Amino acid sequence: DAKTTQPPSMDCAEGRAANLPCNHSTISGNEYVYWYRQIHSQGPQYIIHGLKNNETNEMASLIITEDRKSSTLILPHATLRDTAVYYCIVPNAGGTSYGKLTFGQGTILTVHP
Amino acid sequence: EAQVTQNPRYLITVTGKKLTVTCSQNMNHEYMSWYRQDPGLGLRQIYYSMNVEVTDKGDVPEGYKVSRKEKRNFPLILESPSPNQTSLYFCASTLTGGRSPLHFGNGTRLTVT
């Protein structure tokens, strides 16, 4: 699976947009980008995923650059409950997809009042 | 309700006493995997399974065993637990193909004294 790089931490004011970047420069053409978050010691929670086009759901938006080498997760109106560790991963979408999978340490997002 | 169920949630044991942490999913997922999480080290994959009777090592397999005799279950076995295996463990499952998100269990906090 493609390696991802994320900043270790970010801050955001409550009510403002949180933009979390992820670099995945070794991504190949058929690999999806997935975002998860983990609050305290709970199991990671799926947020959103995409291949080429930008995606939006009730939780967030995902912007993928045209060359697909990086993406940004956007929480449009961050709340205190969005304080969590955010992981960007790229599992291999080929025949051996979701094999060995590396999560990395993610980005600790702190939303403050 | 679609879910991944881990048991037990908390376990305290002594060095050398064999233990099994169970993981079961009700979504007919082919792929299942185990992770451990330690402070400052993120989620590290222990073992994964692409389907019944197919298992492979992740990044930190030493000291662990797994089996996949049926699709829904993927137990993690510690034959001779040691204190360095004290950790928070997560099981996850998904469909293969890289186009579906991982579903995580609620975690098992293991303490080995």
Side-chain angles (χ1 to χ4, degrees):
Chain A
D1 49 295
K3 180 178 171 61
T4 61
T5 305
Q6 300 176 253
S9 64
M10 295 184 67
D11 288 334
C12 178
E14 189 177 21
R16 305 296 294 268
N19 298 299
L20 291 87
C22 179
N23 183 292
H24 32 79
S25 58
T26 61
I27 195 170
S28 62
N30 60 352
E31 291 182 316
Y32 282 73
V33 180
Y34 281 83
W35 284 83
Y36 295 81
R37 74 178 182 185
Q38 186 177 26
I39 298 172
H40 297 301
S41 296
Q42 299 175 20
Q45 174 192 24
Y46 163 75
I47 301 173
I48 198 168
H49 72 287
L51 182 63
K52 295 179 183 178
N53 301 318
N54 299 336
E55 301 288 345
T56 295
N57 63 20
E58 65 277 4
M59 292 181 68
S61 294
L62 175 61
I63 307 297
I64 303 173
T65 58
E66 194 168 339
D67 64 8
R68 302 207 329 116
K69 293 185 176 185
S70 66
S71 60
T72 300
L73 178 74
I74 301 172
L75 307 178
H77 306 286
T79 71
L80 298 178
R81 286 179 292 181
D82 290 322
T83 292
V85 180
Y86 288 78
Y87 297 98
C88 162
I89 66 168
V90 181
N92 181 2
T96 56
S97 63
Y98 270 122
K100 197 169 183 178
L101 186 59
T102 301
F103 265 77
Q105 298 192 44
T107 296
I108 300 172
L109 174 68
T110 303
V111 181
H112 49 86
Chain B
E1 180 189 351
Q3 59 185 0
V4 177
T5 303
Q6 291 180 231
N7 280 299
R9 291 293 308 276
Y10 301 92
L11 179 59
I12 301 174
T13 190
V14 297
T15 299
K17 185 176 182 182
K18 181 179 179 180
L19 66 91
T20 299
V21 183
T22 63
C23 175
S24 179
Q25 50 90 9
N26 61 1
M27 296 167 280
N28 203 34
H29 287 165
E30 299 94 356
Y31 180 91
M32 297 185 74
S33 63
W34 277 102
Y35 301 86
R36 63 176 288 174
Q37 187 169 37
D38 304 290
L41 296 178
L43 284 160
R44 295 182 293 168
Q45 191 180 50
I46 304 171
Y47 269 95
Y48 64 95
S49 170
M50 300 294 288
N51 213 323
V52 176
E53 302 291 1
V54 181
T55 63
D56 211 340
K57 297 177 181 178
D59 290 320
V60 289
E62 295 77 20
Y64 304 94
K65 285 176 58 177
V66 292
S67 69
R68 188 88 184 274
K69 292 183 170 56
E70 45 188 350
K71 203 171 190 178
R72 64 182 294 125
N73 296 321
F74 190 45
L76 180 68
I77 303 157
L78 285 71
E79 295 268 2
S80 182
S82 63
N84 64 13
Q85 293 178 298
T86 292
S87 187
L88 177 59
Y89 292 86
F90 290 103
C91 178
S93 73
T94 187
L95 297 168
T96 54
R99 292 165 175 76
S100 301
L102 283 164
H103 296 253
F104 282 84
N106 288 328
T108 296
R109 188 169 292 280
L110 172 66
T111 302
V112 184
T113 61

